[in-house]
Amino acid sequence: MPGSLKAWCETLRRFGTMSLADVMQPAIKQASRGFAATPYLHECIVDGAKEMRQDKAISAIYLPNGTPLNASERVVQAEYAKTLATISRDGEAALYQGPLGDILVDYMKDHGGFVSREDLASYRTVERSPVRADYRGWEILGPPPPAASGVHIAQMLNILESYDIAAMGFGNAATIHHLAEVLKIAFADRAAASGDPDYVGVPVARLTSKAYADERRRAIDSGRAQQWGAGVAQLEGAHTTHMTAADAMGNVVATTQTINNLFGVKFLIPGLGTVPNNYMNLYDPRPGHALSLAPGKRVTTSMSPVMALRDGKLVYALGLRGGKKIFPSALQALLNLIDHGMSLQEAVEAPRIWTDGNALEVELAVPDAVRAKLTSMDHKVVAVPTVAGA
Amino acid sequence: MNAIQFHEDGSLSGAACWRADGTPIGIAGGLARAGVGLGLA
């Protein structure tokens, strides 16, 4: 269900100072006049070309004459510009109760999809309180379930709080080892207990409690990597978008959005010019699990827009893209700022690691000697250019 | 990754990661006074 539009419009009405038409004007301009493709976009088109070639509408934009758009060539989305203009004039009702919704429903009906007019008309946003963690006197706010990220960032911070991370230092084997073990614990719990709280009992209080952190920490071996048990395999894409913004009136937004994989389902709906998401593959196809499919159920996510407060005042807001690598990377940025005393720029750029219980991915900027030491501690180290895309 | 820091004097710092594609819109890597005006080219 395309829910983001409704959330954005409601947020603008509640907190914004500009009209929807004014807010959308830059996007309409970009879509109608086009923008220059970046080298990265060119690479993305090449990666998705095989599947996109099966759809004429999306190929016409990204694969003109059958070949991927090159960097600096213009990406023009005339049909999408008309869709945006309709929304800017008529609001979100154009999709949820109007002609844009009719186009979507008819397309779905003709192609075996399941989105009905009733689904669109009855869609409601849900406002939830953030998950709060207390870490060394800082208050960390993160997204609550169905998102997995806020819960597990809180859990990992609680476990790490008893270690003197600052004294241990940044980027050495001991620090990375403890980070890796904590990540594996979080992913093991995430596999078992992530989901829509309206459908499954996500044990937020237990997962974010200091007592549970103590229990998990006691099982960590400081000199040896352990298997913490991987659960349900996830198929989350890494092609999300994050934006952090603040204005002079004190409004702060940290927002992450996604159509999951690059170009989502890799087809374009004629008449709308939009690409649907392929987020359904995050559900567990087996019944009886936390992420099993059910009507009306909202999917989990690793999106991690986070805010850090000191003495009740907002000090940091951040986020990034990267699928299952998002919340571990957000955690490391927080540690960089709070424990390692890095500047903001240093904190977002510093080398990262990632593991979900299998290989330990370590960015190439981490020295060979550190990677060798981690290997000697039974980590299956894999050197990678980047952990999380941005 | 992109991030904003809110300083006690009311100024803001913005940061964007080298891993990102393209150029962040607005402030990045420097200080801007609260209330500074930004525009899209």
Side-chain angles (χ1 to χ4, degrees):
Chain A
M1 182 61 57
S4 296
L5 175 64
K6 196 173 185 66
W8 292 329
C9 291
E10 290 177 355
T11 303
L12 180 66
R13 280 195 293 274
R14 188 165 161 191
F15 299 105
T17 57
M18 297 169 68
S19 70
L20 182 63
D22 285 345
V23 167
M24 293 185 69
Q25 191 53 44
I28 295 169
K29 181 179 164 186
Q30 292 286 325
S32 61
R33 297 188 187 178
F35 59 90
T38 62
Y40 174 73
L41 179 57
H42 168 72
E43 290 171 18
C44 294
I45 297 169
V46 170
D47 285 348
K50 185 179 175 186
E51 289 158 296
M52 287 199 288
R53 278 199 183 94
Q54 297 174 36
D55 182 71
K56 281 185 180 176
I58 201 167
S59 295
I61 295 174
Y62 297 105
L63 296 152
N65 306 315
T67 57
L69 271 183
N70 288 312
S72 82
E73 289 186 315
R74 295 192 80 72
V75 182
V76 179
Q77 303 167 88
E79 203 166 44
Y80 186 50
K82 288 180 185 173
T83 294
L84 294 177
T86 301
I87 293 170
S88 76
R89 187 185 65 233
D90 300 335
E92 73 265 36
L95 174 65
Y96 297 101
Q97 291 144 331
L100 300 181
D102 290 341
I103 294 171
L104 172 64
V105 169
D106 289 345
Y107 185 88
M108 287 287 172
K109 193 176 175 184
D110 292 344
H111 294 80
F114 297 102
V115 176
S116 68
R117 284 177 178 78
E118 293 71 29
D119 292 332
L120 285 171
S122 63
Y123 184 78
R124 298 288 178 273
T125 58
V126 180
E127 185 174 334
R128 305 180 199 271
S129 296
V131 170
R132 294 170 187 270
D134 170 18
Y135 182 69
R136 304 192 200 282
W138 289 76
E139 185 180 17
I140 310 297
L141 309 183
S149 41
V151 168
H152 295 297
I153 286 176
Q155 175 192 17
M156 292 188 288
L157 288 172
N158 284 337
I159 297 173
L160 290 168
E161 195 173 29
S162 287
Y163 297 108
D164 191 345
I165 301 293
M168 289 166 69
F170 174 81
N172 57 48
T175 302
I176 292 177
H177 167 70
H178 285 87
L179 258 177
E181 294 304 285
V182 168
L183 288 177
K184 288 189 284 187
I185 291 169
F187 271 105
D189 287 339
R190 179 185 186 274
S194 279
D196 185 338
D198 291 340
Y199 289 76
V200 293
V202 182
V204 176
R206 175 164 165 75
L207 285 168
T208 60
S209 72
K210 300 287 186 189
Y212 182 63
D214 291 342
E215 184 183 313
R216 292 297 242 169
R217 188 188 312 106
R218 280 196 293 272
I220 294 175
D221 184 331
S222 289
R224 187 177 61 84
Q226 298 179 73
Q227 292 296 321
W228 295 90
V232 178
Q234 296 277 321
L235 297 169
E236 198 166 348
H239 306 111
T240 307
T241 304
H242 178 85
M243 180 201 71
T244 310
D247 69 15
M249 289 177 285
N251 297 306
V252 182
V253 176
T255 176
T256 314
Q257 56 189 305
T258 191
I259 52 173
N260 201 24
N261 288 116
L262 281 168
F263 304 107
V265 294
K266 295 187 174 60
F267 62 76
L268 189 146
I269 298 179
L272 291 181
T274 58
V275 177
N277 72 69
N278 66 333
Y279 223 66
M280 289 286 286
N281 72 356
L282 267 73
Y283 283 109
D284 188 332
R286 303 168 300 176
H289 292 267
L291 292 176
S292 300
L293 281 162
K297 201 172 188 181
R298 292 166 197 257
V299 73
T300 192
T301 172
S302 293
M303 295 177 191
S304 306
V306 294
M307 295 186 181
L309 290 77
R310 188 80 179 177
D311 301 324
K313 290 183 180 175
L314 180 63
V315 180
Y316 301 115
L318 59 87
L320 72 157
R321 70 182 186 97
K324 282 197 297 181
K325 296 173 183 176
I326 294 178
F327 72 89
S329 298
L331 168 83
Q332 289 169 72
L334 291 170
L335 298 177
N336 292 343
L337 292 164
I338 295 172
D339 288 312
H340 298 304
M342 293 186 189
S343 71
L344 195 66
Q345 192 65 43
E346 289 171 333
V348 304
E349 291 192 358
R352 300 177 190 151
I353 65 140
W354 180 80
T355 179
D356 64 353
N358 298 304
L360 172 59
E361 294 188 6
V362 180
E363 285 191 349
L364 290 166
V366 174
D368 291 344
V370 173
R371 280 185 258 141
K373 174 69 176 171
L374 289 164
T375 301
S376 75
M377 298 166 83
D378 295 337
H379 289 285
K380 296 171 186 168
V381 176
V382 177
V384 296
T386 61
V387 166
Chain B
M1 181 178 290
N2 49 72
I4 296 175
Q5 181 173 358
F6 303 84
H7 300 279
E8 288 190 359
D9 65 359
S11 61
L12 314 178
S13 299
C17 177
W18 60 272
R19 300 170 182 87
D21 171 53
T23 305
I25 296 170
I27 53 176
L31 294 174
R33 304 299 307 176
V36 68
L38 299 169
L40 289 173

Short mmCIF file of all heavy atoms in Angstrom, two decimals, chain A residues 62 330 334:
data_model
loop_
_atom_site.label_atom_id
_atom_site.label_comp_id
_atom_site.label_asym_id
_atom_site.label_seq_id
_atom_site.Cartn_x
_atom_site.Cartn_y
_atom_site.Cartn_z
N TYR A 62 14.47 5.07 -18.83
CA TYR A 62 15.82 4.74 -18.38
C TYR A 62 16.66 3.98 -19.41
O TYR A 62 17.88 3.88 -19.27
CB TYR A 62 15.76 3.94 -17.07
CG TYR A 62 15.13 4.72 -15.95
CD1 TYR A 62 13.84 4.45 -15.51
CD2 TYR A 62 15.83 5.76 -15.34
CE1 TYR A 62 13.26 5.18 -14.49
CE2 TYR A 62 15.25 6.50 -14.32
CZ TYR A 62 13.97 6.21 -13.90
OH TYR A 62 13.40 6.95 -12.90
N ALA A 330 23.81 3.38 11.96
CA ALA A 330 23.35 4.48 12.81
C ALA A 330 23.91 4.32 14.22
O ALA A 330 24.33 5.29 14.86
CB ALA A 330 21.83 4.53 12.83
N LEU A 334 26.38 6.93 16.35
CA LEU A 334 26.13 7.40 17.71
C LEU A 334 27.34 7.14 18.62
O LEU A 334 27.73 7.99 19.42
CB LEU A 334 24.88 6.72 18.28
CG LEU A 334 23.54 7.12 17.66
CD1 LEU A 334 22.42 6.21 18.14
CD2 LEU A 334 23.21 8.58 17.98
#
